[in-house]
């Protein structure tokens, strides 16, 4: 068989390649939902979902990172048990933890945009990735905090104490590891 184009196959199909990676990150986020540590005083468990959101945004950039989290969300809405604790459905999106899921989409997109801007100015690296991901974590938790506050009928202080502060040490670790991975490996 004669192949006219000697360029590797994966270089000729960048869109398909990115679709596969976006699907992979949606699947990894779903798996991350099952790796959880319940916190007795909060309706929000500690999961590895945020770790994969950070990587999706940084490695896939805005378009594909955001789309990967949209796919993840749509899978959960369709009834697949991909949300934390194996839950699914629209009810989860309108429940106390739904803001975090919405935040996944916005965070991945924002991290991707910041990563694209950093690469254009030739300033990407571990520290910049960590800053970009920290901004994404801020967006994610802002969405989660607001919805938790309104849906669970909590005051801002209670919502902050139950839905944000207990998770920050873990997010610092996840951000550091994800920034290292994104700085070391390219898709």
């Amino acid at each position: 068989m004669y192949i006219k184009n000697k360029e590797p196959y994966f270089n000729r199909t960048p869109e398909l390649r990115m679709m596969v990676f976006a699907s992979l990150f949606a699947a990894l986020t779903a798996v991350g939902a099952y790796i959880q540590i319940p916190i007795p005083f909060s309706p929000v468990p500690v999961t590895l979902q945020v770790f994969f959101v950070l990587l999706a945004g940084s490695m896939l950039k805005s378009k594909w990172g955001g789309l990967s989290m949209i796919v993840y969300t749509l899978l959960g809405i369709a009834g697949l048990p991909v949300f934390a604790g194996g839950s699914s459905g629209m009810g989860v999106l309108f429940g106390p933890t739904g803001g975090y899921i919405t935040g996944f989409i916005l965070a991945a997109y924002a991290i991707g945009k910041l990563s694209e801007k950093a690469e254009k100015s030739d300033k990407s690296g571990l520290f910049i990735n960590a800053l970009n991901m920290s901004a994404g974590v801020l967006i994610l938790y802002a969405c989660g905090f607001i919805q938790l506050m309104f849906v669970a009928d909590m005051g801002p202080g209670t919502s902050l104490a139950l839905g944000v502060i207990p998770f920050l040490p873990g997010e610092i670790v996840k951000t550091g590891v994800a920034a290292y991975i994104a700085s070391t490996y390219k898709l």
Side-chain angles (χ1 to χ4, degrees), residues 22 25-26 29 49-73 99-116 132-141 143:
F25 274 101
T29 306
Q49 292 167 295
V50 174
F51 177 73
F52 295 115
V53 171
L54 299 176
L55 283 175
S58 186
M59 297 182 89
L60 299 178
K61 307 304 180 230
S62 61
K63 175 184 174 182
W64 293 106
L67 280 172
S68 71
M69 292 306 114
I70 289 171
V71 167
Y72 164 76
T73 304
Y100 297 96
I101 297 169
T102 304
F104 291 172
I105 299 166
L106 299 175
Y109 181 81
I111 292 166
K113 276 294 184 193
L114 292 169
S115 295
E116 290 164 5
N132 295 344
M133 290 178 184
S134 296
V137 168
L138 181 66
I139 291 166
L140 192 155
Y141 274 91
C143 294

Side-chain angles (χ1 to χ4, degrees), residues 18 33 53 69 91 94 109 120 126 144 152 158-159 166 168 172 182-183 187:
M18 292 309 288
V53 171
M69 292 306 114
F94 294 115
Y109 181 81
K120 281 183 186 176
L126 177 63
T158 306
S159 184
L168 293 181
I172 292 168
S183 300
L187 298 180

Side-chain angles (χ1 to χ4, degrees), residues 140-181:
L140 192 155
Y141 274 91
C143 294
F145 165 78
I146 291 168
Q147 186 158 334
L148 180 63
M149 188 171 63
F150 287 110
V151 172
D153 196 27
M154 297 178 179
T158 306
S159 184
L160 194 63
L162 296 179
V164 178
I165 293 172
F167 304 96
L168 293 181
E171 298 311 333
I172 292 168
V173 172
K174 290 180 216 173
T175 299
V177 173
Y180 174 76
I181 291 169

